[in-house]
Amino acid sequence: MAGLRAFAAAALLSMLFALSPATAQAPPTESIQIGLSTDAISITAGFSGADLTIFGSLENPDPLIARQGRYDVVVVLEGPPRPVVVRRKDRVLGVWINLDSETFENVPVSYSVATTRPLQDIAEPAKYKQLSLGAQNLYMKPADETDSPATIQEFTTALRERKAATGLYSENVGGVQFLSQNLFRATVRLAPNVPVGTHKARAFLFKSGMFVKESSAQLEIRKSGFEQSVFRVAHDYSFLYGVFAISLAMLTGWLGRIIFRKD
């Protein structure tokens, strides 16, 4: 009897060991990767805007969820952060003058978004605020946080509207398209006045409305040709550049006076 019980115990342990790898092995977690065809773009003074294509892939996607179309991707191209001053004009004695202003720190100069579907159809608004995803959810940090919340909100709204009006903040619904269950292509817009500097491309993966993973890559936008030389001199030798610009303006005015004067 004792031998039978020992045999049964040994058989039970063998079954547990045989089942343990299957039960302990967790399903692979989805992730996302993006790649840029180039890490630098050169633009000239005649640059009128362009579409930038970003390719990416999903790793370990669930085939069933992919077939049901429950994976969504949001791709963002975010420009370098810089301080921005927003001014409000008021009419005083028939003349429009700047009265109030608000300074914001580390504001992305440009912000282009591409999505598989409208943002409201992908996830809850609270999720975007948590991720600071989307132009309306970017945190605009005021330099003076002692101002009233109403004033800060007013200038924040004006800043976003101004960025959108100049094309620096844009959204391309449907700009992300799946080429297969794993591969996708995103098209983001580069505005004609896109700033030079280091831009950051970010891709956010959502599954059934839940955020899963993020991936990023960097892109350098710079001027080329004569414009690049002038830009470099203006930044490296700002004082001499200022003196030269003033001297050139004075010389141009003097020559114009001589050429077009009436005897």
Side-chain angles (χ1 to χ4, degrees):
M1 183 65 68
L4 182 60
R5 285 198 297 267
F7 175 77
L12 180 59
L13 288 175
S14 299
M15 293 178 60
L16 290 176
F17 280 121
L19 293 174
S20 59
T23 56
Q25 184 178 2
T29 304
E30 302 95 329
S31 62
I32 187 171
Q33 298 294 331
I34 58 174
L36 305 177
S37 58
T38 178
D39 59 358
I41 295 179
S42 298
I43 60 176
T44 62
F47 180 71
S48 58
D51 289 332
L52 175 66
T53 301
I54 300 174
F55 290 94
S57 65
L58 305 187
E59 297 181 352
N60 302 318
D62 187 318
L64 177 59
I65 294 179
R67 285 195 299 269
Q68 293 174 344
R70 290 192 285 144
Y71 282 121
D72 285 289
V73 175
V74 179
V75 175
V76 174
L77 184 65
E78 185 175 323
R82 295 173 185 168
V84 176
V85 179
V86 182
R87 294 180 174 87
R88 179 174 60 195
K89 287 186 176 182
D90 290 305
R91 192 162 186 165
V92 178
L93 300 178
V95 180
W96 289 95
I97 60 175
N98 293 322
L99 291 181
D100 296 333
S101 65
E102 189 76 42
T103 301
F104 295 91
E105 300 177 348
N106 300 324
V107 177
V109 181
S110 59
Y111 194 85
S112 182
V113 182
T115 66
T116 49
R117 295 184 293 164
L119 287 174
Q120 63 268 22
D121 296 339
I122 296 177
E124 295 295 327
K127 181 60 65 176
Y128 297 130
K129 288 187 177 295
Q130 181 182 354
L131 296 171
S132 190
L133 177 57
Q136 297 300 320
N137 299 305
L138 287 175
Y139 175 61
M140 309 293 189
K141 182 181 180 182
D144 186 4
E145 297 184 352
T146 60
D147 291 341
S148 68
T151 300
I152 294 176
Q153 181 60 41
E154 177 186 359
F155 280 94
T156 300
T157 302
L159 174 58
R160 290 196 177 102
E161 291 177 350
R162 179 58 182 170
K163 290 286 189 180
T166 56
L168 289 172
Y169 282 16
S170 62
E171 182 177 322
N172 183 12
V173 177
V176 179
Q177 297 179 345
F178 278 95
L179 307 177
S180 66
Q181 289 187 357
N182 298 71
L183 303 178
F184 65 87
R185 177 182 61 200
T187 303
V188 293
R189 182 67 179 168
L190 296 179
N193 51 344
V194 62
V196 297
T198 302
H199 295 241
K200 188 175 183 180
R202 305 168 66 192
F204 299 81
L205 174 62
F206 292 85
K207 180 175 69 173
S208 301
M210 301 300 296
F211 171 69
V212 178
K213 212 74 172 180
E214 175 189 351
S215 179
S216 63
Q218 287 190 343
L219 173 69
E220 188 75 19
I221 296 182
R222 56 191 177 216
K223 295 183 180 293
S224 63
F226 178 73
E227 293 82 6
Q228 171 63 14
S229 301
V230 174
F231 179 81
R232 187 178 303 164
V233 170
H235 282 74
D236 296 344
Y237 307 98
S238 56
F239 177 76
L240 295 178
Y241 178 80
V243 172
F244 173 77
I246 295 174
S247 302
L248 181 61
M250 294 176 63
L251 177 62
T252 303
W254 177 73
L255 289 175
R257 182 181 178 184
I258 293 178
I259 295 173
F260 297 103
R261 70 180 179 180
K262 297 180 179 180
D263 295 332

